[in-house]
Amino acid sequence: MWRMTATDRFSDLPPTCAPAVRPRVVATDLDGTLLRRDGTLSPRTLRALDAARGGGAEVVVVTARPPRYLDRLATATGLTGTAVCSNGADVYDLASRAVLSSRVLAPDTVRRVTDALTAAVPGIAFALETGTRVLFEPAFGLRHAGDEAAEMPVPSREALWRSGVAVTKLLAWSDSIDADTLMTLARVVAPEWAQVTHSGGPGLLEISAPGVTKASTLAEVCAGWSVSAAEVVAFGDMPNDLAVLGWAGAGYAMGNAHPAVLAATSLRTSTNEEDGVAAVLERLFGTGTSTGAGTGAGTVLAPAERAGTAADTQTTPA
């Protein structure tokens, strides 16, 4: 993976790398982006978010996580506003703890995609994410510490289909094939049937309804506020962030980003461990004064929110 050098740091980038207009929306991914590796939000980052809000910008979390994870984040940090969850399938209001809209997979699409992947990948297993709980067949081996209350094992794959739940994301997992390879394969065997991506989980694909991405849903949210793409600054690190980084007027790849993200973006900031989001926001809005964290190493989130090995996926340590 690419490593940031001193000449790549945001502080050394030329002024032309800054957005052409002052952003009205700050859209940020969570794990590997806003959060540090241990799942904390640093005081510096909280101050920068406060400064952005004080400067008139809306802060929108755009994440692969389902809505249930955002509640603890909001409680721990005081974060408010709108969140685009489940890779764009859900729009969630952090203040009221309410799902404002949801775009689910059609049952026949779920079956068609799973049949195609089963034929192509021996041993692949599936789970159904609803936003409030996750149902998984026996062969689905990934779990996410802290999410036990939402986990619902079922006795067979057929039991998944009989459950009748509204599916915001179909999860496909292999214990022998990495996520990048799986994603490439899925786009060959299930072309245009669904939106396929991943956020770094080992062997884990995240599959949404056709056309559902972080970018498509964020665009709808921004349209409701009469905000154009040119007025949005976005941050991300994984393939599921590519659409939103390309759509926003200024899309920043984190210094620790996936190689595909680094290759696709011209704007970069420092790593999540170095408060890369804050470094950009300080340039745009000043330093601000945080009321959420005080001093110390950071605001610690509950285990379900910790980044682990890429916890921006919802049910596993992926």
Side-chain angles (χ1 to χ4, degrees):
M1 180 175 288
W2 174 85
R3 300 293 182 186
M4 177 168 286
T5 67
T7 57
D8 293 317
R9 295 182 185 278
F10 180 77
S11 60
D12 297 321
L13 294 178
T16 53
C17 288
V21 297
R22 187 169 188 176
R24 293 176 59 197
V25 167
V26 174
T28 179
D29 175 49
L30 289 177
D31 295 285
T33 300
L34 195 69
L35 302 180
R36 289 180 172 176
R37 190 179 301 113
D38 61 359
T40 66
L41 272 172
S42 72
R44 179 186 179 189
T45 294
L46 286 166
R47 287 193 297 270
L49 294 175
D50 284 348
R53 284 189 291 262
E58 294 282 348
V59 176
V60 180
V61 169
V62 287
T63 179
R65 297 184 186 191
R68 63 180 177 272
Y69 284 124
L70 276 294
D71 292 342
R72 293 190 186 94
L73 178 66
T75 298
T77 66
L79 196 63
T80 61
T82 302
V84 172
C85 300
S86 306
N87 285 333
D90 295 309
V91 178
Y92 190 62
D93 182 71
L94 290 169
S96 64
R97 309 288 174 92
V99 175
L100 304 180
S101 66
S102 189
R103 298 166 69 182
V104 301
L105 279 153
D108 60 338
T109 299
V110 172
R111 294 293 296 269
R112 190 180 186 190
V113 172
T114 56
D115 287 347
L117 287 174
T118 297
V121 184
I124 196 167
F126 299 94
L128 306 179
E129 174 61 59
T130 73
T132 58
R133 56 182 176 158
V134 59
L135 288 69
F136 55 90
E137 64 175 324
F140 192 89
L142 289 184
R143 300 292 183 272
H144 191 172
D147 201 31
E148 293 83 1
E151 293 177 348
M152 180 176 290
V154 298
S156 67
R157 186 172 299 179
E158 282 302 314
L160 285 178
W161 313 147
R162 293 195 302 268
S163 67
V165 297
V167 180
T168 55
K169 288 200 298 185
L170 169 66
L171 306 176
W173 174 72
S174 170
D175 63 356
S176 60
I177 302 178
D178 66 90
D180 286 321
T181 303
L182 274 180
M183 185 170 67
T184 299
L185 180 60
R187 289 173 175 175
V188 172
V189 303
E192 302 180 2
W193 300 349
Q195 193 74 38
V196 180
T197 191
H198 79 81
S199 56
L204 183 68
L205 289 185
E206 303 167 52
I207 302 166
S208 305
V212 174
T213 66
K214 291 183 179 184
S216 65
T217 302
L218 179 64
E220 292 180 1
V221 170
C222 288
W225 296 334
S226 298
V227 173
S228 68
E231 297 172 295
V232 178
V233 60
F235 303 88
D237 72 308
M238 280 290 165
N240 64 325
D241 296 313
L242 280 169
V244 76
L245 295 178
W247 175 81
Y252 285 86
M254 304 302 294
N256 52 283
H258 186 283
V261 177
L262 293 169
T265 55
S266 60
L267 300 180
R268 295 177 182 175
T269 184
S270 47
T271 69
N272 62 322
E273 291 296 300
E274 299 170 304
D275 298 331
V277 173
V280 177
L281 295 184
E282 288 164 358
R283 288 283 188 90
L284 298 173
F285 299 101
T287 57
T289 302
S290 173
T291 58
T295 60
T299 299
V300 180
L301 306 184
E305 280 71 47
R306 293 194 175 181
T309 57
D312 201 20
T313 58
Q314 64 292 352
T315 59
T316 74

